[in-house]
Amino acid sequence: MTSPFYFVFLFSSLFMGNVDANPNYREALSKSLLFFQGQRSGRLPRDQQLSWRASSGLSDGSSAHVDLTGGYYDAGDNIKFNFPMAFTTTMLSWSTLEYGKRLGPELQNARVNIRWATDYLLKCARATPGKLYVGVGDPNVDHKCWERPEDMDTPRTVYSVSSSNPGSDVAAETAAALAAASMVFRKVDSKYSRLLLATAKKVMQFAIQYRGAYSDSLSSSVCPFYCSYSGYKDELMWGASWLLKATNNPYYANFIQSLGGGDQPDIFSWDNKYAGAYVLLSRRALLNKDSNFEPYKQAAENFMCKILPNSPSSSTQYTQGGLMYKLPQSNLQYVTAITFLLTTYAKYMKATRNTFTCGNSVIVPDALISVSKRQVDYILGDNPIKMSYMVGFGPNFPKRIHHRASSLPSHALRSQSLGCNGGFQSFYTQNPNPNILTGAIVGGPNQNDGYPDQRDDYSHSEPATYINAAFVGPLAYFAAGRSA
């Protein structure tokens, strides 16, 4: 059997980057959370730090006679898609639950970001009995315009799912977000925590009772933007896993068992939650010594074996510079999400002195941490072109990101509306964006470690909330030092 120490060395030496390069993780952590202020929809508070943004979407929901103001724009456009927004909220909550002590002074900022989302998700779940609102804004029209959120004159169409138009995927993800957040607020605002959990239970029941994919109910309003490509079984497992964690009610454990085994993916994202559910459930097998959850621990370890380089069952490509490369569209969303799982599973392993095997190789926790650290350092600038993929971090970062509000003159400088087409003049220039969206992580480099920094190259230059949300945990881990 291969020596575990040799295996860790192999991982570290596989990548050409300077393995000892330690960027300022605490600064990166702070900026990764500040980014969410640039994505806010609704009435902005007085302590808004990114002052080039102003209030927007203040009539959201009015076409359906409900208040759906608030929440986040998912990426560089002006739409509120609840499916990725709820996943973002779940991952921010998981980061806070798992790494709260390591967040230090940033813990309060993480809670504020979570609450900005959950206040909105509560409205979506509670405004109309029997309905769950799942988005605001017509994506097909919005994507034809290049305008600031403050100027929006495109239809703010409201989308919902119901018993006759089900959406188990978006409902279960919303339940996951509310349940995870309920634990974040349990000790600091117990009344709010109880409201979150009670709503999560209702929304989860709706997801279970009325089965169906929201893509089928809403078609071109959510596809191809955030189609539920993986189906909804993964969200049912994920949502139930979070409710089990929040309630300890055996109903959810039995429901998870009733779903049977899930897929064996080599990816984790806003669309495919299986790997996240396996890692979350494996905690019960490892830390609680509950043998009923052993199959999920096994599934989590199979996932790790598909990610680790040099593992006999690895199905993950790495660039020459050492970056995990999954898909050309916004690859860093997969890198940050998978890195979160690597770091978190390693934490569970360290706490229980656990190892596992990939083929004949023994995997120790530091093998996972080594790969995780390499991804974090690469994103923060330790890569062949010395580009930090976090805006405003380091001396060299993306200047022309695909983001309307960042690329157009701020409301403070130019108050008159630019209209639907008025912003394209800015879109097509080579000028850097006038407003720095501090902390935003873009889609990232191509498979050759190259990055053209072009505004129209959205698959590489567009930031998104779910890229950042998953990165908070690993940044907190490394910011606090690498102790267990």
Side-chain angles (χ1 to χ4, degrees):
M1 203 172 257
T2 314
S3 150
F5 300 106
Y6 172 67
F7 213 49
V8 177
F9 170 74
L10 245 180
F11 285 141
S12 302
S13 59
L14 180 80
F15 305 126
M16 296 310 292
N18 174 7
V19 187
D20 296 321
N22 281 318
N24 186 334
Y25 299 117
R26 195 152 285 292
E27 179 196 342
L29 173 63
S30 178
K31 288 178 171 173
S32 73
L33 289 164
L34 180 60
F35 154 74
F36 287 90
Q37 291 194 13
Q39 300 303 113
R40 283 171 169 173
S41 183
R43 190 168 298 286
L44 300 190
R46 286 189 180 157
D47 62 358
Q48 169 82 9
Q49 286 173 266
L50 296 184
S51 55
W52 48 267
R53 277 296 323 282
S55 299
S56 63
L58 297 180
S59 61
D60 281 1
S62 59
S63 62
H65 309 291
V66 289
D67 172 14
L68 298 180
T69 55
Y72 292 111
Y73 303 116
D74 69 297
D77 53 22
N78 299 327
I79 304 294
K80 294 193 305 206
F81 290 104
N82 288 24
F83 193 33
M85 196 199 305
F87 176 70
T88 293
T89 311
T90 310
M91 291 308 295
L92 273 176
S93 298
W94 197 1
S95 297
T96 305
L97 293 168
E98 208 66 70
Y99 300 96
K101 287 180 183 157
R102 295 160 193 257
L103 282 168
E106 295 303 325
L107 177 58
Q108 182 53 25
N109 292 327
R111 285 194 195 119
V112 167
N113 288 347
I114 293 164
R115 189 160 187 153
W116 194 271
T118 51
D119 281 354
Y120 166 77
L121 293 174
L122 282 171
K123 292 177 184 179
C124 291
R126 295 169 61 82
T128 307
K131 255 187 192 176
L132 173 68
Y133 293 99
V134 299
V136 183
D138 183 328
N140 295 291
V141 178
D142 177 87
H143 287 175
K144 292 180 181 138
C145 298
W146 195 261
E147 60 184 345
R148 303 175 296 198
E150 294 83 2
D151 292 343
M152 276 186 292
D153 51 6
T154 52
R156 299 302 284 170
T157 316
V158 169
Y159 302 99
S160 62
V161 292
S162 61
S163 56
S164 52
N165 286 294
S168 298
D169 29 34
V170 68
E173 182 59 75
T174 302
L178 296 171
S182 77
M183 289 181 276
V184 170
F185 292 103
R186 195 170 275 170
K187 287 182 179 161
V188 289
D189 188 340
S190 57
K191 187 180 173 188
Y192 189 63
S193 172
R194 286 193 298 275
L195 176 64
L196 289 167
L197 187 55
T199 311
K201 289 177 187 171
K202 280 186 187 164
V203 176
M204 190 66 207
Q205 211 43 53
F206 168 81
I208 292 170
Q209 198 170 339
Y210 304 106
R211 305 272 176 110
Y214 94 131
S215 313
D216 295 339
S217 294
L218 295 170
S219 60
S220 64
S221 309
V222 295
C223 294
F225 318 102
Y226 292 104
C227 268
S228 183
Y229 297 104
S230 68
Y232 58 79
K233 184 177 162 186
D234 57 315
E235 276 84 25
L236 289 176
M237 183 182 282
W238 173 245
S241 301
W242 278 107
L243 275 152
L244 176 62
K245 186 167 170 57
T247 65
N248 269 324
N249 187 333
Y251 167 80
Y252 295 109
N254 295 334
F255 174 72
I256 293 164
Q257 305 264 220
S258 77
L259 288 170
D263 291 357
Q264 294 291 320
D266 62 357
I267 208 153
F268 177 47
S269 72
W270 59 262
D271 179 41
N272 194 320
K273 318 287 163 51
Y274 280 117
Y278 298 154
V279 169
L280 185 62
L281 293 169
S282 70
R283 196 177 194 280
R284 290 181 168 261
L286 281 164
L287 276 72
N288 303 359
K289 304 280 185 276
D290 187 336
S291 59
N292 293 318
F293 292 89
E294 198 63 37
Y296 304 105
K297 172 179 171 285
Q298 190 56 57
E301 290 167 358
N302 290 348
F303 171 78
M304 302 299 159
C305 291
K306 290 183 177 182
I307 301 301
L308 297 175
N310 297 326
S311 154
S313 53
S314 180
S315 56
T316 303
Q317 280 182 292
Y318 288 81
T319 68
Q320 265 194 303
L323 180 71
M324 208 179 281
Y325 195 80
K326 284 292 179 186
L327 288 165
Q329 288 279 86
S330 187
N331 177 56
L332 288 188
Q333 66 175 303
Y334 308 109
V335 177
T336 60
I338 292 168
T339 298
F340 179 95
L341 295 185
L342 287 170
T343 313
T344 303
Y345 199 72
K347 195 160 80 78
Y348 299 164
M349 289 171 72
K350 284 188 175 195
T352 54
R353 301 191 172 177
N354 195 55
T355 61
F356 64 92
T357 56
C358 294
N360 291 326
S361 304
V362 178
I363 310 298
V364 297
D366 278 349
L368 305 188
I369 293 297
S370 176
V371 178
S372 173
K373 184 175 186 300
R374 184 70 203 100
Q375 303 313 300
V376 172
D377 291 356
Y378 184 110
I379 289 170
L380 296 180
D382 182 18
N383 55 55
I385 62 170
K386 302 295 173 213
M387 165 75 81
S388 157
Y389 292 102
M390 177 183 282
V391 173
F393 183 86
N396 184 26
F397 55 83
K399 304 291 196 298
R400 289 177 283 277
I401 65 172
H402 182 94
H403 190 278
R404 289 157 173 76
S406 167
S407 70
L408 294 166
S410 78
H411 222 257
L413 292 178
R414 182 173 170 171
S415 58
Q416 70 267 40
S417 172
L418 291 164
C420 171
N421 297 315
F424 281 108
Q425 196 177 340
S426 298
F427 178 77
Y428 289 116
T429 70
Q430 286 300 304
N431 298 337
N433 288 9
N435 309 309
I436 294 182
L437 183 55
T438 304
I441 302 169
V442 295
N446 59 31
Q447 62 201 83
N448 301 315
D449 298 300
Y451 182 76
D453 198 13
Q454 294 295 332
R455 204 172 285 114
D456 59 357
D457 180 15
Y458 64 87
S459 66
H460 297 108
S461 66
E462 188 169 17
T465 54
Y466 40 87
I467 305 179
N468 273 62
F471 206 46
V472 169
L475 284 175
Y477 181 85
F478 293 114
R482 292 169 58 186
S483 58

PDB file of all heavy atoms in Angstrom, residues 279-298:
ATOM      1  N   VAL A 279     -21.550  14.623   1.620  1.00  0.00           N
ATOM      2  CA  VAL A 279     -20.602  15.138   2.624  1.00  0.00           C
ATOM      3  C   VAL A 279     -21.348  15.564   3.883  1.00  0.00           C
ATOM      4  O   VAL A 279     -20.934  15.254   5.005  1.00  0.00           O
ATOM      5  CB  VAL A 279     -19.754  16.291   2.032  1.00  0.00           C
ATOM      6  CG1 VAL A 279     -18.964  17.004   3.131  1.00  0.00           C
ATOM      7  CG2 VAL A 279     -18.808  15.756   0.956  1.00  0.00           C
ATOM      8  N   LEU A 280     -22.475  16.237   3.710  1.00  0.00           N
ATOM      9  CA  LEU A 280     -23.259  16.671   4.867  1.00  0.00           C
ATOM     10  C   LEU A 280     -23.741  15.473   5.692  1.00  0.00           C
ATOM     11  O   LEU A 280     -23.650  15.474   6.921  1.00  0.00           O
ATOM     12  CB  LEU A 280     -24.455  17.503   4.392  1.00  0.00           C
ATOM     13  CG  LEU A 280     -25.325  18.137   5.474  1.00  0.00           C
ATOM     14  CD1 LEU A 280     -24.522  19.124   6.324  1.00  0.00           C
ATOM     15  CD2 LEU A 280     -26.521  18.842   4.847  1.00  0.00           C
ATOM     16  N   LEU A 281     -24.231  14.434   5.007  1.00  0.00           N
ATOM     17  CA  LEU A 281     -24.725  13.243   5.716  1.00  0.00           C
ATOM     18  C   LEU A 281     -23.586  12.416   6.298  1.00  0.00           C
ATOM     19  O   LEU A 281     -23.753  11.755   7.328  1.00  0.00           O
ATOM     20  CB  LEU A 281     -25.578  12.384   4.767  1.00  0.00           C
ATOM     21  CG  LEU A 281     -26.898  13.019   4.326  1.00  0.00           C
ATOM     22  CD1 LEU A 281     -27.540  12.217   3.197  1.00  0.00           C
ATOM     23  CD2 LEU A 281     -27.877  13.155   5.494  1.00  0.00           C
ATOM     24  N   SER A 282     -22.411  12.462   5.658  1.00  0.00           N
ATOM     25  CA  SER A 282     -21.272  11.670   6.153  1.00  0.00           C
ATOM     26  C   SER A 282     -20.823  12.159   7.531  1.00  0.00           C
ATOM     27  O   SER A 282     -20.231  11.414   8.301  1.00  0.00           O
ATOM     28  CB  SER A 282     -20.096  11.753   5.178  1.00  0.00           C
ATOM     29  OG  SER A 282     -19.520  13.052   5.203  1.00  0.00           O
ATOM     30  N   ARG A 283     -21.131  13.417   7.828  1.00  0.00           N
ATOM     31  CA  ARG A 283     -20.805  13.962   9.149  1.00  0.00           C
ATOM     32  C   ARG A 283     -21.427  13.106  10.254  1.00  0.00           C
ATOM     33  O   ARG A 283     -20.838  12.901  11.304  1.00  0.00           O
ATOM     34  CB  ARG A 283     -21.360  15.394   9.197  1.00  0.00           C
ATOM     35  CG  ARG A 283     -20.815  16.254  10.288  1.00  0.00           C
ATOM     36  CD  ARG A 283     -21.378  17.668  10.186  1.00  0.00           C
ATOM     37  NE  ARG A 283     -20.611  18.587  11.020  1.00  0.00           N
ATOM     38  CZ  ARG A 283     -20.757  18.705  12.325  1.00  0.00           C
ATOM     39  NH1 ARG A 283     -21.667  17.976  12.952  1.00  0.00           N
ATOM     40  NH2 ARG A 283     -20.010  19.549  13.027  1.00  0.00           N
ATOM     41  N   ARG A 284     -22.639  12.584   9.970  1.00  0.00           N
ATOM     42  CA  ARG A 284     -23.316  11.751  10.974  1.00  0.00           C
ATOM     43  C   ARG A 284     -22.615  10.410  11.149  1.00  0.00           C
ATOM     44  O   ARG A 284     -22.585   9.861  12.249  1.00  0.00           O
ATOM     45  CB  ARG A 284     -24.780  11.528  10.576  1.00  0.00           C
ATOM     46  CG  ARG A 284     -25.587  12.789  10.712  1.00  0.00           C
ATOM     47  CD  ARG A 284     -27.044  12.629  10.348  1.00  0.00           C
ATOM     48  NE  ARG A 284     -27.743  13.825  10.803  1.00  0.00           N
ATOM     49  CZ  ARG A 284     -28.446  13.931  11.923  1.00  0.00           C
ATOM     50  NH1 ARG A 284     -28.605  12.885  12.704  1.00  0.00           N
ATOM     51  NH2 ARG A 284     -29.009  15.063  12.265  1.00  0.00           N
ATOM     52  N   ALA A 285     -22.083   9.894  10.057  1.00  0.00           N
ATOM     53  CA  ALA A 285     -21.348   8.625  10.146  1.00  0.00           C
ATOM     54  C   ALA A 285     -20.022   8.828  10.880  1.00  0.00           C
ATOM     55  O   ALA A 285     -19.638   8.034  11.738  1.00  0.00           O
ATOM     56  CB  ALA A 285     -21.105   8.062   8.753  1.00  0.00           C
ATOM     57  N   LEU A 286     -19.326   9.941  10.562  1.00  0.00           N
ATOM     58  CA  LEU A 286     -18.001  10.171  11.134  1.00  0.00           C
ATOM     59  C   LEU A 286     -18.073  10.729  12.555  1.00  0.00           C
ATOM     60  O   LEU A 286     -17.529  10.142  13.477  1.00  0.00           O
ATOM     61  CB  LEU A 286     -17.222  11.147  10.237  1.00  0.00           C
ATOM     62  CG  LEU A 286     -16.600  10.541   8.973  1.00  0.00           C
ATOM     63  CD1 LEU A 286     -16.210  11.639   7.997  1.00  0.00           C
ATOM     64  CD2 LEU A 286     -15.373   9.701   9.321  1.00  0.00           C
ATOM     65  N   LEU A 287     -18.764  11.860  12.724  1.00  0.00           N
ATOM     66  CA  LEU A 287     -18.742  12.534  14.027  1.00  0.00           C
ATOM     67  C   LEU A 287     -19.739  11.951  15.013  1.00  0.00           C
ATOM     68  O   LEU A 287     -19.489  11.926  16.214  1.00  0.00           O
ATOM     69  CB  LEU A 287     -18.980  14.038  13.861  1.00  0.00           C
ATOM     70  CG  LEU A 287     -17.726  14.848  13.512  1.00  0.00           C
ATOM     71  CD1 LEU A 287     -17.260  14.607  12.102  1.00  0.00           C
ATOM     72  CD2 LEU A 287     -17.978  16.331  13.702  1.00  0.00           C
ATOM     73  N   ASN A 288     -20.878  11.469  14.513  1.00  0.00           N
ATOM     74  CA  ASN A 288     -21.902  10.920  15.415  1.00  0.00           C
ATOM     75  C   ASN A 288     -21.845   9.398  15.507  1.00  0.00           C
ATOM     76  O   ASN A 288     -22.642   8.790  16.205  1.00  0.00           O
ATOM     77  CB  ASN A 288     -23.314  11.330  14.967  1.00  0.00           C
ATOM     78  CG  ASN A 288     -23.490  12.830  14.867  1.00  0.00           C
ATOM     79  OD1 ASN A 288     -22.576  13.573  15.151  1.00  0.00           O
ATOM     80  ND2 ASN A 288     -24.658  13.276  14.440  1.00  0.00           N
ATOM     81  N   LYS A 289     -20.958   8.806  14.714  1.00  0.00           N
ATOM     82  CA  LYS A 289     -20.787   7.336  14.704  1.00  0.00           C
ATOM     83  C   LYS A 289     -22.108   6.612  14.419  1.00  0.00           C
ATOM     84  O   LYS A 289     -22.396   5.564  14.998  1.00  0.00           O
ATOM     85  CB  LYS A 289     -20.216   6.834  16.035  1.00  0.00           C
ATOM     86  CG  LYS A 289     -18.904   7.488  16.445  1.00  0.00           C
ATOM     87  CD  LYS A 289     -17.727   6.881  15.731  1.00  0.00           C
ATOM     88  CE  LYS A 289     -16.384   7.412  16.188  1.00  0.00           C
ATOM     89  NZ  LYS A 289     -15.984   8.653  15.544  1.00  0.00           N
ATOM     90  N   ASP A 290     -22.922   7.189  13.538  1.00  0.00           N
ATOM     91  CA  ASP A 290     -24.211   6.584  13.200  1.00  0.00           C
ATOM     92  C   ASP A 290     -24.057   5.738  11.939  1.00  0.00           C
ATOM     93  O   ASP A 290     -23.923   6.256  10.833  1.00  0.00           O
ATOM     94  CB  ASP A 290     -25.248   7.693  12.974  1.00  0.00           C
ATOM     95  CG  ASP A 290     -26.658   7.136  12.778  1.00  0.00           C
ATOM     96  OD1 ASP A 290     -26.783   5.962  12.376  1.00  0.00           O
ATOM     97  OD2 ASP A 290     -27.623   7.888  13.017  1.00  0.00           O
ATOM     98  N   SER A 291     -24.073   4.412  12.102  1.00  0.00           N
ATOM     99  CA  SER A 291     -23.780   3.504  10.982  1.00  0.00           C
ATOM    100  C   SER A 291     -24.839   3.557   9.877  1.00  0.00           C
ATOM    101  O   SER A 291     -24.588   3.143   8.756  1.00  0.00           O
ATOM    102  CB  SER A 291     -23.630   2.068  11.491  1.00  0.00           C
ATOM    103  OG  SER A 291     -24.830   1.684  12.143  1.00  0.00           O
ATOM    104  N   ASN A 292     -26.025   4.100  10.188  1.00  0.00           N
ATOM    105  CA  ASN A 292     -27.050   4.227   9.146  1.00  0.00           C
ATOM    106  C   ASN A 292     -26.600   5.147   8.012  1.00  0.00           C
ATOM    107  O   ASN A 292     -27.134   5.084   6.904  1.00  0.00           O
ATOM    108  CB  ASN A 292     -28.354   4.804   9.735  1.00  0.00           C
ATOM    109  CG  ASN A 292     -29.004   3.830  10.698  1.00  0.00           C
ATOM    110  OD1 ASN A 292     -29.060   2.635  10.431  1.00  0.00           O
ATOM    111  ND2 ASN A 292     -29.471   4.341  11.828  1.00  0.00           N
ATOM    112  N   PHE A 293     -25.624   5.998   8.313  1.00  0.00           N
ATOM    113  CA  PHE A 293     -25.185   6.981   7.312  1.00  0.00           C
ATOM    114  C   PHE A 293     -23.874   6.582   6.647  1.00  0.00           C
ATOM    115  O   PHE A 293     -23.306   7.342   5.872  1.00  0.00           O
ATOM    116  CB  PHE A 293     -25.094   8.376   7.950  1.00  0.00           C
ATOM    117  CG  PHE A 293     -26.456   8.899   8.310  1.00  0.00           C
ATOM    118  CD1 PHE A 293     -27.017   8.623   9.557  1.00  0.00           C
ATOM    119  CD2 PHE A 293     -27.205   9.611   7.391  1.00  0.00           C
ATOM    120  CE1 PHE A 293     -28.297   9.071   9.877  1.00  0.00           C
ATOM    121  CE2 PHE A 293     -28.481  10.057   7.703  1.00  0.00           C
ATOM    122  CZ  PHE A 293     -29.032   9.786   8.943  1.00  0.00           C
ATOM    123  N   GLU A 294     -23.438   5.348   6.938  1.00  0.00           N
ATOM    124  CA  GLU A 294     -22.204   4.829   6.342  1.00  0.00           C
ATOM    125  C   GLU A 294     -22.230   4.861   4.799  1.00  0.00           C
ATOM    126  O   GLU A 294     -21.234   5.215   4.168  1.00  0.00           O
ATOM    127  CB  GLU A 294     -21.966   3.396   6.856  1.00  0.00           C
ATOM    128  CG  GLU A 294     -20.552   2.891   6.680  1.00  0.00           C
ATOM    129  CD  GLU A 294     -19.497   3.687   7.449  1.00  0.00           C
ATOM    130  OE1 GLU A 294     -19.769   4.135   8.586  1.00  0.00           O
ATOM    131  OE2 GLU A 294     -18.412   3.869   6.873  1.00  0.00           O
ATOM    132  N   PRO A 295     -23.371   4.510   4.156  1.00  0.00           N
ATOM    133  CA  PRO A 295     -23.390   4.555   2.680  1.00  0.00           C
ATOM    134  C   PRO A 295     -23.102   5.955   2.121  1.00  0.00           C
ATOM    135  O   PRO A 295     -22.504   6.086   1.055  1.00  0.00           O
ATOM    136  CB  PRO A 295     -24.821   4.124   2.312  1.00  0.00           C
ATOM    137  CG  PRO A 295     -25.324   3.366   3.500  1.00  0.00           C
ATOM    138  CD  PRO A 295     -24.634   3.968   4.697  1.00  0.00           C
ATOM    139  N   TYR A 296     -23.494   7.004   2.847  1.00  0.00           N
ATOM    140  CA  TYR A 296     -23.252   8.373   2.356  1.00  0.00           C
ATOM    141  C   TYR A 296     -21.791   8.758   2.553  1.00  0.00           C
ATOM    142  O   TYR A 296     -21.213   9.479   1.740  1.00  0.00           O
ATOM    143  CB  TYR A 296     -24.195   9.362   3.056  1.00  0.00           C
ATOM    144  CG  TYR A 296     -25.631   8.948   2.871  1.00  0.00           C
ATOM    145  CD1 TYR A 296     -26.355   8.371   3.916  1.00  0.00           C
ATOM    146  CD2 TYR A 296     -26.250   9.067   1.618  1.00  0.00           C
ATOM    147  CE1 TYR A 296     -27.666   7.940   3.731  1.00  0.00           C
ATOM    148  CE2 TYR A 296     -27.560   8.638   1.428  1.00  0.00           C
ATOM    149  CZ  TYR A 296     -28.257   8.072   2.486  1.00  0.00           C
ATOM    150  OH  TYR A 296     -29.550   7.636   2.287  1.00  0.00           O
ATOM    151  N   LYS A 297     -21.193   8.245   3.633  1.00  0.00           N
ATOM    152  CA  LYS A 297     -19.756   8.443   3.852  1.00  0.00           C
ATOM    153  C   LYS A 297     -18.986   7.793   2.700  1.00  0.00           C
ATOM    154  O   LYS A 297     -18.071   8.383   2.126  1.00  0.00           O
ATOM    155  CB  LYS A 297     -19.359   7.831   5.198  1.00  0.00           C
ATOM    156  CG  LYS A 297     -17.866   7.803   5.476  1.00  0.00           C
ATOM    157  CD  LYS A 297     -17.607   7.205   6.852  1.00  0.00           C
ATOM    158  CE  LYS A 297     -16.133   6.944   7.114  1.00  0.00           C
ATOM    159  NZ  LYS A 297     -15.607   5.775   6.398  1.00  0.00           N
ATOM    160  N   GLN A 298     -19.402   6.583   2.329  1.00  0.00           N
ATOM    161  CA  GLN A 298     -18.762   5.871   1.217  1.00  0.00           C
ATOM    162  C   GLN A 298     -18.925   6.661  -0.086  1.00  0.00           C
ATOM    163  O   GLN A 298     -17.976   6.815  -0.865  1.00  0.00           O
ATOM    164  CB  GLN A 298     -19.385   4.474   1.070  1.00  0.00           C
ATOM    165  CG  GLN A 298     -18.637   3.552   0.106  1.00  0.00           C
ATOM    166  CD  GLN A 298     -17.168   3.381   0.468  1.00  0.00           C
ATOM    167  OE1 GLN A 298     -16.837   2.963   1.566  1.00  0.00           O
ATOM    168  NE2 GLN A 298     -16.282   3.745  -0.443  1.00  0.00           N
TER     169      GLN A 298
END
